[in-house]
Each structure stands twice: as C-alpha cells, then as structure tokens.
C-alpha cells in the first residue's frame, strides 16, 4: 500500500533562513506528488504538484520541490522564509487515491 | 466558481447522538474524498467516492461511520452514536477526475463530542 513519510514534525526558523522539508513515499509505480499548505485557521491549499517532466517543480510564494525517483523523495524547499510562511505543510501522493503525510509544522520567527 | 463547501463549520454533539457532515464539491467535480484531522496526526484518509459509488473506503472505521455521494445533492459523512474520540476536524476534497490529480479542499467541519 502506498504511504507518505514526513520526518520533520516541527521546524522552527528565523526569517531569511533557508527551508527544506523532507517527504518520502513508498510506491513502486508512477506517482503524482503534491505539497499542500494549511495556514492557521484555514483549509488546505495546493502549493505545488508534480505529474511528469522536469523533476524540479516551482510553486507559489517562492516554494519549489524536487522529485528524486531513485530516492522516492519529493522535498520542499524555499531559499528564504518569511514570517507569513508559518503554517503546516503536507506532502501527498496520488496513485489510486490521495494519501497524505502527517504534516510538518513550520514556525518562522521575525 | 464556488469552491468546495462544507457545512456545518462547527458541530457539537453529545455522546450517542448522530453527526451528519455535508460536502458540496466544486462545480464539475465528480469525485469526493473525506479526511479526518486530529492534532499531531495529520490528515487521515477515510473514504473516496464517485457519484453513487464508493471507490475506496479502506480508511473508514468499520462501525458507526458511513458515507454517500448521491446523484443529486452533497456528499454526506454520517457518524452514528458518536463518542468523544470522534472529535476532530473533518475535511472534504473534490477533484474533477479520479487518478492523477490533486484535490481542492473545503474549509472543514469541526466536530466536538461532549
């Protein structure tokens, strides 16, 4: 069965620091990969997605993610975080249904 | 084009009562997912439905929980005889087709069982 692992449960950064959130999945076939963000008190929004093609995907608000097939990974990155990036971030995999990781809570301090 | 709608946004039930959560997908979307979110546990898949058809209910508890997505009207997640452990945020998401796409989320229903 497919599964998604997010190893960083809680990340604390200062503004302007660089961010990388890990995401690994287990599924041997073709996958579609997503990152969602949930700002405090709001519902989930799609940040970026990978279906095929260039493994480096750029999303909204300066986020990007790289699909590394050999490592079954789809890590999320941002070169310089802002206080407004404080949120919970979920990685998701879609094969026959959409499955989420447990999420990473990011806190950015000014 | 309205997004995914969920109602009620907040629902309080006493133990033993029934909870009905509604989800109206985005226009043109024929697939609906239900997820449960507990603190520190992330989003847990519950059920995946197409109109008039349950595609995958492997995440649904075997008892007390049921879901439907009729030909007309919203998708309903029904929890009978609620217990305190059912307290959580329940999110619905819809997609235009089943495989290979992301989904758009509703604002969620926060269920509190007293």
């Amino acid at each position: 069965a497919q599964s998604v692992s997010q190893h960083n449960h809680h990340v604390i950064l200062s503004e302007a620091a660089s961010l990388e959130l890990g995401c690994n999945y287990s599924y041997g076939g073709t996958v579609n990969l997503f990152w969602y963000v949930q700002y405090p008190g709001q519902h989930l929004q799609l940040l970026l997605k990978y279906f095929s093609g260039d493994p480096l995907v750029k999303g909204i608000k300066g986020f990007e993610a790289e699909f590394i097939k050999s490592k079954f990974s789809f890590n999320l990155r941002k070169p310089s975080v802002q206080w407004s990036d404080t949120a919970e971030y979920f990685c998701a995999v879609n094969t026959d249904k959409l499955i989420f990781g447990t999420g990473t809570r990011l806190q950015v301090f000014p | 084009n309205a997004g995914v709608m969920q109602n009620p946004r907040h629902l309080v039930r006493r133990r033993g009562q029934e909870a009905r959560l509604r989800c109206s997908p985005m226009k043109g979307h024929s697939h609906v997912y239900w997820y449960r979110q507990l603190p520190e546990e992330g989003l847990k898949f519950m059920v995946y439905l197409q109109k008039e058809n349950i595609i995958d209910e492997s995440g649904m508890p075997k008892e007390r929980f049921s879901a439907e997505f009729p030909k007309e009207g919203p998708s309903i997640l029904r929890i009978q005889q609620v217990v305190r452990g059912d307290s959580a945020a329940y999110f619905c998401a819809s997609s235009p087709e089943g495989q290979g796409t992301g989904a758009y989320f509703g604002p969620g229903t926060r269920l509190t069982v007293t």
Side-chain angles (χ1 to χ4, degrees):
Chain A
Q2 65 196 63
S3 66
V4 182
S5 297
Q6 291 182 246
H7 305 296
N8 315 105
H9 297 295
H10 192 187
V11 174
I12 301 173
L13 295 172
S14 298
E15 275 193 319
S18 64
L19 170 72
E20 180 159 1
L21 302 182
C23 172
N24 289 89
Y25 65 92
S26 63
Y27 185 75
T30 302
V31 293
N32 298 300
L33 299 156
F34 307 84
W35 276 96
Y36 284 82
V37 60
Q38 187 178 27
Y39 296 104
Q42 297 187 27
H43 58 284
L44 278 84
Q45 303 170 42
L46 184 65
L47 202 53
L48 49 78
K49 59 187 177 184
Y50 171 80
F51 285 0
S52 64
D54 189 345
L56 185 62
V57 179
K58 296 204 183 291
I60 60 172
K61 303 187 180 184
F63 286 91
E64 64 179 32
E66 185 175 12
F67 171 50
I68 303 179
K69 190 175 181 180
S70 61
K71 294 184 178 180
F72 297 90
S73 70
F74 190 55
N75 292 357
L76 180 72
R77 299 195 293 249
K78 186 170 183 178
S80 175
V81 294
Q82 299 172 313
W83 175 79
S84 58
D85 293 324
T86 294
E88 191 143 16
Y89 293 80
F90 294 92
C91 181
V93 171
N94 193 338
T95 56
D96 58 351
K97 59 180 177 281
L98 194 58
I99 297 295
F100 285 82
T102 51
T104 298
R105 182 164 297 171
L106 172 65
Q107 280 184 288
V108 180
F109 289 96
Chain B
N1 186 10
V4 179
M5 310 284 282
Q6 286 188 253
N7 66 81
R9 294 291 306 276
H10 300 275
L11 181 62
V12 180
R13 285 288 179 265
R14 291 200 185 96
R15 278 182 298 171
Q17 290 184 319
E18 178 180 286
R20 279 185 182 239
L21 288 62
R22 294 175 186 77
C23 169
S24 297
M26 285 182 71
K27 188 177 180 181
H29 286 191
S30 57
H31 292 75
V32 164
Y33 292 87
W34 284 94
Y35 296 88
R36 177 163 58 179
Q37 186 177 34
L38 290 163
E40 310 301 325
E41 290 191 19
L43 282 160
K44 295 290 188 185
F45 168 80
M46 297 184 75
V47 63
Y48 174 32
L49 308 113
Q50 192 179 15
K51 278 195 182 286
E52 300 186 283
N53 186 29
I54 295 175
I55 300 175
D56 188 327
E57 57 180 348
S58 58
M60 288 274 273
K62 292 288 185 285
E63 298 176 350
R64 302 188 297 109
F65 284 72
S66 62
E68 62 176 10
F69 188 16
K71 187 177 180 181
E72 301 291 337
S75 175
I76 306 286
L77 178 68
R78 184 179 174 210
I79 311 172
Q80 295 178 292
Q81 299 174 324
V82 295
V83 300
R84 288 229 172 97
D86 297 332
S87 295
Y90 292 83
F91 287 94
C92 166
S94 72
S95 66
E97 56 184 89
Q99 297 181 1
T101 62
Y104 295 85
F105 279 80
T109 294
R110 186 163 296 278
L111 172 66
T112 302
V113 179
T114 61

